[in-house]
Amino acid sequence: MVSRLLKSLRSATDGATAVEYGLLAGLISIGLLGGLGAFSGGLQATFDTITAAIEAARQ
């Protein structure tokens, strides 16, 4: 009886797959947030340059 239970637990991999997908999604989101943090400074500088050019053209 115990050996049958252990065999069924060992053969059930659905939960492990869900955990793996969850970990993968977490790692991807951490990477995206890190990339966004590095990219946001340059993007802000670009928007500041565009804003200054538009304001200079209005005057």
Side-chain angles (χ1 to χ4, degrees):
M1 175 150 174
V2 173
S3 63
R4 190 179 327 149
L5 176 64
L6 290 175
K7 285 181 185 179
S8 68
L9 287 175
R10 196 174 358 155
S11 65
T13 59
D14 293 339
T17 303
V19 170
E20 290 168 356
Y21 282 131
L23 288 173
L24 189 59
L27 289 173
I28 290 172
S29 64
I30 289 170
L32 288 174
L33 287 174
L36 180 63
F39 179 69
S40 64
L43 185 61
Q44 183 64 41
T46 302
F47 283 141
D48 289 341
T49 303
I50 292 170
T51 302
I54 291 172
E55 288 177 356
R58 291 174 108 185
Q59 293 175 0

